Amino acid sequence: AIISICNYDLQFEKSTIGSLIFPNKDDTPIFNTAGAYGIKIRFNGAQRLIKIDDYLPIDDKLAPILTSCQNQFAPQLLEKTIIKLYGNCYESIDTNPSIEMHHFIGWIPETVKFTDVNNKDNLWSRMKQNFREGNIILSINAASDEEDNDSYRDKPRLTADDSPLLAVLDIREFKDHKLIKCTNPSNGFTSFTIYKPNETNSLTGWLNWEDILEYYSQINL
């Protein structure tokens, strides 16, 4: 969710991320030497300010949450805010990107399962138009192991190297191809990526819409 919001800010010249973090100046976060910050979120129908420090969470390998840009600290603070909101533990977080986006920017969350959509071409057209106009922010999810029902039982599963969650950065059509530019917040990328514009960045690539419908289960917006 945070990646998607950052991409929205860059694409439409907004300051959504910066306006959530205090102290700030002109919606740009200010480094606080005291190590204390306030993060504005929406929770249970009201705006709230969550206080956090600048200690970064770590994963099971004792690696802290970092971005590829060394001078960025806002995404890490937002990630820590979500963790604190849901009990200070990754394992306790039972949410999806659209819900997290609602916490940060207030947009009403919606999940569209591909199995519930009869006209996939119409879904593509509406999704592309609204994304290009800045009306929606998107992410893509794979079916989880718990979704053991008739809708997902025969669906191809991703490999261990593939990401179950993708943030959408761009949507385009080229000749007969419907393409979605995605980034993978994990440590690799899908085995069926058709084009990587920058081979040094293994987290970003273009996927066919048909492959997404085949291997993933839903979009969050």
Side-chain angles (χ1 to χ4, degrees), residues 28-104:
T28 299
I30 298 175
F31 179 74
N32 187 359
T33 56
Y37 298 90
I39 311 298
K40 182 174 65 176
I41 67 164
R42 293 159 180 83
F43 187 67
N44 285 347
Q47 284 195 345
R48 305 172 190 273
L49 191 70
I50 293 185
K51 297 180 180 179
I52 61 172
D53 55 38
D54 59 358
Y55 287 89
L56 296 182
I58 58 175
D59 59 20
D60 56 357
K61 297 180 181 178
L62 302 183
I65 296 173
L66 297 173
T67 66
S68 58
C69 186
Q70 297 275 331
N71 62 352
Q72 287 183 346
F73 68 97
Q76 294 94 312
L77 297 180
L78 297 183
E79 181 77 8
K80 182 171 181 176
T81 302
I82 288 293
I83 295 172
K84 183 174 182 179
L85 184 66
Y86 285 90
N88 292 316
C89 181
Y90 274 117
E91 287 74 15
S92 67
I93 298 179
D94 183 18
T95 182
N96 65 50
S98 62
I99 295 176
E100 294 177 13
M101 282 189 279
H102 173 71
H103 289 322
F104 289 131

Coordinates of all heavy atoms in Angstrom, one line a residue, residues 28-104:
T28 N 6.0 18.2 3.8 CA 7.2 17.5 3.7 C 7.7 17.1 5.1 O 7.9 18.0 5.9 CB 8.3 18.3 3.0 OG1 7.8 18.7 1.7 CG2 9.6 17.6 2.9
P29 N 7.9 15.8 5.4 CA 8.4 15.5 6.7 C 9.7 16.1 7.1 O 10.6 16.3 6.3 CB 8.5 13.9 6.6 CG 7.6 13.5 5.5 CD 7.7 14.7 4.5
I30 N 9.8 16.5 8.4 CA 11.0 17.1 8.9 C 11.7 16.1 9.8 O 11.0 15.5 10.7 CB 10.7 18.4 9.6 CG1 10.1 19.4 8.7 CG2 12.0 18.9 10.2 CD1 9.7 20.7 9.3
F31 N 13.0 15.9 9.7 CA 13.7 15.0 10.6 C 13.7 15.6 12.0 O 14.1 16.7 12.2 CB 15.2 14.8 10.1 CG 16.0 13.9 10.9 CD1 15.9 12.6 10.9 CD2 17.0 14.5 11.8 CE1 16.6 11.8 11.7 CE2 17.8 13.7 12.6 CZ 17.6 12.3 12.5
N32 N 13.4 14.7 12.9 CA 13.3 15.1 14.3 C 14.4 14.5 15.1 O 14.5 13.3 15.2 CB 11.9 14.7 14.9 CG 11.7 15.2 16.3 OD1 12.6 15.9 16.9 ND2 10.6 14.9 16.9
T33 N 15.3 15.3 15.6 CA 16.5 14.9 16.3 C 16.1 14.1 17.6 O 16.9 13.3 18.1 CB 17.5 16.0 16.6 OG1 16.7 17.0 17.4 CG2 18.0 16.6 15.4
A34 N 14.9 14.4 18.1 CA 14.5 13.7 19.3 C 14.0 12.3 19.0 O 13.7 11.5 19.9 CB 13.4 14.5 20.0
G35 N 13.8 12.0 17.7 CA 13.4 10.6 17.3 C 11.9 10.3 17.5 O 11.5 9.2 17.6
A36 N 11.1 11.3 17.6 CA 9.7 11.2 17.9 C 8.8 11.7 16.7 O 9.1 12.8 16.2 CB 9.3 11.8 19.2
Y37 N 7.8 11.0 16.3 CA 7.0 11.4 15.2 C 5.5 11.1 15.5 O 5.2 10.2 16.3 CB 7.4 10.7 13.9 CG 8.8 11.0 13.5 CD1 9.9 10.2 13.9 CD2 9.0 12.1 12.7 CE1 11.2 10.5 13.5 CE2 10.3 12.4 12.3 CZ 11.4 11.6 12.7 OH 12.7 11.9 12.3
G38 N 4.6 11.8 14.9 CA 3.2 11.5 14.9 C 2.7 11.2 13.5 O 3.1 11.9 12.6
I39 N 2.0 10.1 13.4 CA 1.5 9.7 12.1 C -0.1 9.8 12.1 O -0.7 9.2 13.0 CB 1.9 8.2 11.8 CG1 3.4 8.0 12.0 CG2 1.5 7.9 10.3 CD1 4.3 8.9 11.1
K40 N -0.6 10.5 11.1 CA -2.1 10.7 11.1 C -2.7 9.6 10.3 O -2.3 9.3 9.1 CB -2.4 12.1 10.4 CG -3.9 12.4 10.3 CD -4.1 13.8 9.7 CE -3.6 13.9 8.3 NZ -3.9 15.2 7.7
I41 N -3.6 8.9 10.9 CA -4.3 7.8 10.2 C -5.8 7.9 10.5 O -6.3 8.7 11.3 CB -3.8 6.4 10.6 CG1 -4.2 6.2 12.1 CG2 -2.3 6.2 10.4 CD1 -4.1 4.7 12.5
R42 N -6.6 7.1 9.7 CA -8.0 6.9 10.0 C -8.2 5.5 10.5 O -7.8 4.5 9.9 CB -8.8 7.2 8.7 CG -8.7 8.6 8.2 CD -9.0 8.8 6.7 NE -8.9 10.1 6.3 CZ -7.7 10.7 5.9 NH1 -6.6 10.1 6.0 NH2 -7.7 12.0 5.5
F43 N -8.9 5.5 11.6 CA -9.2 4.2 12.2 C -10.5 4.2 13.0 O -10.8 5.1 13.8 CB -8.0 3.8 13.2 CG -8.1 2.4 13.7 CD1 -8.0 1.3 12.9 CD2 -8.4 2.2 15.1 CE1 -8.1 0.0 13.4 CE2 -8.5 0.9 15.6 CZ -8.3 -0.2 14.8
N44 N -11.4 3.2 12.7 CA -12.7 3.2 13.4 C -13.5 4.4 13.2 O -14.1 4.9 14.1 CB -12.5 2.8 14.9 CG -12.2 1.4 15.1 OD1 -12.3 0.5 14.2 ND2 -11.8 1.0 16.3
G45 N -13.4 5.0 12.0 CA -14.3 6.1 11.6 C -13.8 7.5 12.1 O -14.5 8.5 11.9
A46 N -12.6 7.6 12.6 CA -12.1 8.9 13.0 C -10.6 9.0 12.7 O -9.9 8.0 12.6 CB -12.3 9.0 14.5
Q47 N -10.2 10.3 12.6 CA -8.7 10.5 12.4 C -8.0 10.5 13.7 O -8.5 11.0 14.7 CB -8.5 11.9 11.8 CG -8.8 12.0 10.3 CD -8.3 13.2 9.6 OE1 -7.9 14.2 10.3 NE2 -8.2 13.2 8.3
R48 N -6.9 9.8 13.7 CA -6.1 9.7 14.9 C -4.7 10.0 14.7 O -4.2 9.9 13.5 CB -6.3 8.2 15.5 CG -7.8 7.9 15.7 CD -7.9 6.4 16.0 NE -9.3 6.0 16.0 CZ -10.2 6.1 17.0 NH1 -9.7 6.6 18.2 NH2 -11.4 5.7 16.9
L49 N -3.9 10.3 15.7 CA -2.5 10.5 15.6 C -1.8 9.5 16.4 O -2.0 9.4 17.7 CB -2.1 11.9 16.1 CG -0.7 12.4 15.8 CD1 -0.6 12.7 14.3 CD2 -0.4 13.6 16.6
I50 N -1.0 8.6 15.8 CA -0.3 7.6 16.4 C 1.2 8.1 16.7 O 1.9 8.5 15.7 CB -0.3 6.3 15.6 CG1 -1.7 5.7 15.6 CG2 0.7 5.3 16.2 CD1 -1.8 4.4 14.9
K51 N 1.6 8.0 17.9 CA 3.0 8.4 18.2 C 3.9 7.2 18.1 O 3.7 6.1 18.6 CB 3.0 9.0 19.6 CG 2.2 10.2 19.8 CD 2.3 10.7 21.3 CE 1.4 12.0 21.5 NZ 1.5 12.4 22.9
I52 N 5.1 7.4 17.4 CA 6.1 6.4 17.2 C 7.5 7.0 17.4 O 7.6 8.2 17.3 CB 6.0 5.7 15.9 CG1 6.2 6.7 14.7 CG2 4.7 5.0 15.7 CD1 6.3 6.1 13.4
D53 N 8.4 6.2 17.7 CA 9.8 6.6 17.7 C 10.5 6.2 16.4 O 9.9 5.7 15.5 CB 10.6 6.1 18.9 CG 10.5 4.5 19.0 OD1 10.6 3.9 17.9 OD2 10.4 4.0 20.1
D54 N 11.8 6.4 16.3 CA 12.5 6.2 15.0 C 13.3 4.9 15.0 O 14.1 4.6 14.1 CB 13.4 7.3 14.7 CG 14.5 7.6 15.7 OD1 14.5 6.9 16.8 OD2 15.3 8.5 15.5
Y55 N 13.0 4.0 16.0 CA 13.5 2.6 15.9 C 12.8 1.8 14.9 O 11.6 1.8 14.9 CB 13.4 2.0 17.3 CG 14.4 2.5 18.3 CD1 14.0 3.6 19.1 CD2 15.6 1.9 18.5 CE1 14.9 4.1 20.1 CE2 16.5 2.4 19.5 CZ 16.1 3.5 20.2 OH 17.0 4.0 21.2
L56 N 13.5 1.2 14.0 CA 12.9 0.5 12.9 C 12.6 -1.0 13.2 O 13.5 -1.6 13.9 CB 13.8 0.5 11.6 CG 14.1 1.9 11.0 CD1 14.9 1.8 9.8 CD2 12.8 2.6 10.7
P57 N 11.5 -1.5 12.8 CA 11.2 -2.9 13.0 C 12.2 -3.8 12.2 O 12.8 -3.3 11.2 CB 9.8 -3.1 12.4 CG 9.2 -1.7 12.3 CD 10.4 -0.8 12.1
I58 N 12.4 -5.0 12.6 CA 13.3 -5.9 11.9 C 12.5 -7.2 11.6 O 11.5 -7.5 12.2 CB 14.5 -6.3 12.8 CG1 14.1 -6.9 14.1 CG2 15.4 -5.1 13.0 CD1 15.2 -7.4 15.0
D59 N 13.0 -7.9 10.6 CA 12.4 -9.2 10.2 C 13.0 -10.4 10.9 O 13.8 -10.1 11.9 CB 12.4 -9.4 8.7 CG 13.9 -9.4 8.2 OD1 14.8 -9.7 9.0 OD2 14.1 -9.2 6.9
D60 N 12.7 -11.6 10.6 CA 13.2 -12.7 11.3 C 14.7 -13.0 11.1 O 15.3 -13.8 11.8 CB 12.4 -14.0 10.9 CG 12.5 -14.2 9.4 OD1 13.0 -13.4 8.7 OD2 11.9 -15.3 8.9
K61 N 15.3 -12.2 10.1 CA 16.7 -12.3 9.9 C 17.5 -11.1 10.5 O 18.6 -10.8 10.2 CB 17.0 -12.3 8.4 CG 16.5 -13.6 7.7 CD 16.8 -13.6 6.3 CE 16.2 -14.9 5.6 NZ 16.5 -14.9 4.1
L62 N 16.7 -10.3 11.4 CA 17.3 -9.2 12.1 C 17.6 -8.0 11.1 O 18.5 -7.2 11.4 CB 18.5 -9.5 12.9 CG 18.2 -10.6 14.0 CD1 19.5 -10.9 14.8 CD2 17.1 -10.3 14.9
A63 N 17.0 -8.0 9.9 CA 17.3 -6.9 9.0 C 16.2 -5.9 9.2 O 15.0 -6.2 9.2 CB 17.2 -7.5 7.6
P64 N 16.6 -4.6 9.3 CA 15.6 -3.5 9.5 C 14.8 -3.2 8.2 O 15.3 -3.6 7.1 CB 16.4 -2.3 9.9 CG 17.7 -2.6 9.2 CD 17.9 -4.1 9.3
I65 N 13.6 -2.6 8.3 CA 12.8 -2.2 7.1 C 13.5 -1.0 6.5 O 13.7 0.0 7.1 CB 11.4 -1.8 7.5 CG1 10.7 -3.0 8.1 CG2 10.6 -1.2 6.4 CD1 9.3 -2.7 8.6
L66 N 13.9 -1.1 5.3 CA 14.6 0.0 4.6 C 14.1 0.1 3.1 O 13.5 -0.9 2.6 CB 16.1 -0.3 4.5 CG 16.9 -0.3 5.8 CD1 18.3 -0.8 5.6 CD2 16.8 1.0 6.5
T67 N 14.2 1.2 2.5 CA 13.9 1.4 1.1 C 15.2 1.4 0.4 O 16.3 1.5 0.9 CB 13.2 2.7 0.9 OG1 14.1 3.8 1.1 CG2 11.9 2.8 1.7
S68 N 15.1 1.3 -1.0 CA 16.3 1.4 -1.8 C 17.0 2.7 -1.8 O 18.2 2.8 -2.2 CB 16.0 0.9 -3.2 OG 15.0 1.8 -3.8
C69 N 16.3 3.8 -1.4 CA 16.8 5.1 -1.3 C 17.3 5.4 0.1 O 16.4 5.4 1.0 CB 15.8 6.1 -1.8 SG 16.4 7.8 -1.9
Q70 N 18.6 5.6 0.3 CA 19.1 5.7 1.6 C 18.6 6.9 2.4 O 18.6 6.9 3.6 CB 20.6 5.8 1.5 CG 21.3 4.6 0.9 CD 21.6 3.5 1.9 OE1 21.8 3.8 3.1 NE2 21.5 2.3 1.5
N71 N 18.2 8.0 1.7 CA 17.8 9.2 2.4 C 16.3 9.3 2.7 O 15.8 10.3 3.1 CB 18.3 10.5 1.7 CG 17.7 10.6 0.3 OD1 17.0 9.7 -0.1 ND2 17.9 11.7 -0.4
Q72 N 15.6 8.2 2.4 CA 14.1 8.2 2.7 C 13.9 7.6 4.1 O 14.4 6.6 4.4 CB 13.4 7.4 1.6 CG 13.3 8.1 0.3 CD 12.5 7.3 -0.7 OE1 12.2 6.1 -0.5 NE2 12.1 7.9 -1.8
F73 N 13.0 8.2 4.8 CA 12.6 7.6 6.1 C 11.1 7.6 6.3 O 10.6 6.9 7.2 CB 13.2 8.4 7.3 CG 12.7 9.8 7.5 CD1 11.7 10.0 8.4 CD2 13.2 10.8 6.8 CE1 11.2 11.3 8.6 CE2 12.8 12.1 7.0 CZ 11.8 12.4 7.9
A74 N 10.3 8.3 5.4 CA 8.9 8.3 5.6 C 8.2 6.9 5.4 O 7.4 6.6 6.2 CB 8.3 9.3 4.6
P75 N 8.6 6.2 4.4 CA 7.9 4.8 4.2 C 8.1 3.9 5.4 O 7.2 3.2 5.8 CB 8.6 4.3 2.9 CG 9.0 5.5 2.2 CD 9.4 6.5 3.2
Q76 N 9.3 4.0 6.0 CA 9.6 3.1 7.2 C 8.7 3.5 8.4 O 8.2 2.6 9.1 CB 11.1 3.2 7.6 CG 12.0 2.6 6.5 CD 12.5 3.7 5.6 OE1 11.8 4.5 5.1 NE2 13.8 3.7 5.4
L77 N 8.5 4.8 8.5 CA 7.7 5.3 9.6 C 6.2 4.8 9.4 O 5.5 4.5 10.4 CB 7.8 6.8 9.8 CG 9.1 7.4 10.1 CD1 9.1 8.9 10.2 CD2 9.7 6.8 11.4
L78 N 5.7 4.9 8.2 CA 4.4 4.5 7.9 C 4.2 3.0 8.1 O 3.2 2.5 8.7 CB 4.0 4.9 6.5 CG 3.9 6.4 6.2 CD1 3.4 6.6 4.8 CD2 3.1 7.1 7.2
E79 N 5.2 2.2 7.7 CA 5.2 0.8 7.9 C 5.1 0.4 9.4 O 4.4 -0.4 9.9 CB 6.4 0.1 7.3 CG 6.5 -1.4 7.4 CD 5.6 -2.1 6.5 OE1 5.0 -1.5 5.6 OE2 5.4 -3.3 6.6
K80 N 5.9 1.2 10.2 CA 5.9 0.9 11.6 C 4.6 1.3 12.3 O 4.1 0.6 13.2 CB 7.1 1.8 12.3 CG 7.2 1.5 13.8 CD 8.4 2.2 14.4 CE 8.5 1.9 15.9 NZ 9.7 2.4 16.5
T81 N 3.9 2.3 11.7 CA 2.6 2.7 12.2 C 1.6 1.6 12.1 O 0.8 1.3 13.0 CB 2.2 4.0 11.5 OG1 3.1 5.0 11.7 CG2 0.8 4.5 12.0
I82 N 1.6 1.0 10.9 CA 0.7 -0.1 10.6 C 0.9 -1.3 11.6 O 0.0 -1.9 12.1 CB 0.8 -0.6 9.2 CG1 0.1 0.4 8.2 CG2 0.1 -1.9 9.0 CD1 -1.3 0.6 8.4
I83 N 2.2 -1.6 11.8 CA 2.6 -2.7 12.7 C 2.1 -2.3 14.1 O 1.5 -3.2 14.8 CB 4.1 -2.9 12.7 CG1 4.5 -3.4 11.4 CG2 4.5 -3.9 13.8 CD1 6.0 -3.4 11.2
K84 N 2.3 -1.1 14.6 CA 1.8 -0.7 15.9 C 0.3 -0.7 16.0 O -0.3 -1.2 17.0 CB 2.3 0.7 16.2 CG 1.9 1.2 17.7 CD 2.6 2.5 18.0 CE 2.2 2.9 19.4 NZ 2.8 4.2 19.8
L85 N -0.4 -0.3 14.9 CA -1.9 -0.3 14.9 C -2.4 -1.7 15.1 O -3.5 -1.9 15.7 CB -2.3 0.3 13.6 CG -3.9 0.5 13.4 CD1 -4.4 1.5 14.4 CD2 -4.2 0.9 12.0
Y86 N -1.7 -2.7 14.6 CA -2.2 -4.1 14.6 C -1.5 -5.0 15.6 O -1.3 -6.2 15.4 CB -2.2 -4.7 13.2 CG -3.3 -4.2 12.3 CD1 -3.1 -3.1 11.5 CD2 -4.5 -4.8 12.3 CE1 -4.1 -2.6 10.7 CE2 -5.5 -4.3 11.5 CZ -5.3 -3.2 10.7 OH -6.3 -2.7 9.9
G87 N -1.0 -4.4 16.7 CA -0.5 -5.2 17.8 C 1.0 -5.4 17.9 O 1.5 -6.3 18.6
N88 N 1.8 -4.5 17.2 CA 3.2 -4.5 17.3 C 3.9 -5.9 16.8 O 4.9 -6.2 17.3 CB 3.7 -4.2 18.7 CG 3.4 -2.8 19.1 OD1 3.7 -1.9 18.3 ND2 2.9 -2.6 20.3
C89 N 3.2 -6.5 15.9 CA 3.8 -7.8 15.4 C 3.3 -8.1 14.0 O 2.1 -7.9 13.7 CB 3.3 -8.9 16.3 SG 4.0 -10.6 15.9
Y90 N 4.2 -8.5 13.1 CA 3.9 -8.8 11.7 C 2.8 -9.9 11.7 O 1.9 -9.8 10.9 CB 5.1 -9.2 11.0 CG 5.9 -8.1 10.4 CD1 7.2 -7.9 10.8 CD2 5.4 -7.3 9.4 CE1 8.0 -6.8 10.2 CE2 6.1 -6.2 8.9 CZ 7.4 -6.0 9.3 OH 8.2 -5.0 8.7
E91 N 3.0 -10.9 12.5 CA 2.1 -12.1 12.4 C 0.7 -11.7 12.8 O -0.3 -12.4 12.4 CB 2.6 -13.2 13.3 CG 3.8 -13.9 12.8 CD 5.1 -13.1 12.9 OE1 5.1 -12.1 13.7 OE2 6.1 -13.4 12.3
S92 N 0.5 -10.6 13.5 CA -0.9 -10.3 14.0 C -1.6 -9.4 12.9 O -2.8 -9.1 13.1 CB -0.8 -9.5 15.3 OG -0.2 -8.2 15.1
I93 N -1.0 -9.0 11.8 CA -1.6 -8.1 10.9 C -2.5 -9.0 9.9 O -2.0 -9.8 9.2 CB -0.5 -7.4 10.0 CG1 0.3 -6.5 11.0 CG2 -1.2 -6.6 8.9 CD1 1.4 -5.7 10.3
D94 N -3.8 -8.7 10.0 CA -4.7 -9.4 9.1 C -5.5 -8.4 8.3 O -6.6 -7.9 8.7 CB -5.7 -10.2 10.0 CG -6.7 -11.0 9.1 OD1 -6.4 -11.2 7.9 OD2 -7.7 -11.5 9.7
T95 N -4.8 -7.9 7.3 CA -5.4 -6.8 6.5 C -4.9 -7.0 5.0 O -4.3 -8.0 4.7 CB -4.9 -5.4 7.0 OG1 -5.5 -4.4 6.3 CG2 -3.4 -5.3 7.0
N96 N -5.3 -6.0 4.2 CA -4.8 -6.0 2.8 C -4.5 -4.6 2.4 O -4.8 -3.7 3.1 CB -5.8 -6.7 1.9 CG -7.1 -5.9 1.8 OD1 -7.2 -4.7 1.5 ND2 -8.3 -6.6 1.9
P97 N -3.9 -4.4 1.2 CA -3.4 -3.0 0.9 C -4.5 -2.0 0.8 O -4.3 -0.9 1.1 CB -2.8 -3.3 -0.5 CG -2.3 -4.7 -0.4 CD -3.3 -5.4 0.3
S98 N -5.7 -2.4 0.4 CA -6.8 -1.4 0.3 C -7.2 -0.9 1.6 O -7.6 0.2 1.8 CB -8.0 -2.0 -0.5 OG -8.6 -3.1 0.2
I99 N -7.2 -1.8 2.6 CA -7.5 -1.4 4.0 C -6.4 -0.5 4.5 O -6.7 0.6 5.2 CB -7.7 -2.6 4.9 CG1 -9.0 -3.4 4.5 CG2 -7.9 -2.2 6.4 CD1 -9.2 -4.7 5.2
E100 N -5.2 -0.8 4.3 CA -4.1 0.1 4.7 C -4.2 1.4 4.0 O -3.9 2.5 4.7 CB -2.8 -0.6 4.4 CG -2.5 -1.9 5.2 CD -1.3 -2.6 4.9 OE1 -0.4 -2.0 4.2 OE2 -1.1 -3.8 5.3
M101 N -4.5 1.5 2.7 CA -4.7 2.7 2.1 C -5.8 3.6 2.7 O -5.7 4.8 2.8 CB -4.9 2.5 0.6 CG -3.7 2.2 -0.2 SD -3.9 2.2 -2.0 CE -4.6 0.5 -2.2
H102 N -6.9 2.9 3.2 CA -7.9 3.6 3.8 C -7.4 4.2 5.1 O -7.8 5.4 5.5 CB -9.1 2.7 4.1 CG -10.2 3.3 5.0 ND1 -11.0 4.3 4.5 CD2 -10.5 3.1 6.3 CE1 -11.8 4.7 5.5 NE2 -11.5 4.0 6.6
H103 N -6.6 3.5 5.9 CA -6.0 4.1 7.1 C -5.2 5.4 6.8 O -5.3 6.3 7.5 CB -5.0 3.1 7.7 CG -5.7 1.9 8.4 ND1 -6.9 2.0 9.0 CD2 -5.4 0.6 8.4 CE1 -7.3 0.8 9.5 NE2 -6.4 -0.1 9.1
F104 N -4.5 5.4 5.7 CA -3.6 6.5 5.4 C -4.3 7.6 4.7 O -4.1 8.8 5.0 CB -2.4 6.0 4.5 CG -1.4 5.2 5.3 CD1 -1.0 4.0 4.8 CD2 -1.0 5.6 6.5 CE1 -0.1 3.2 5.5 CE2 -0.1 4.8 7.3 CZ 0.4 3.6 6.7

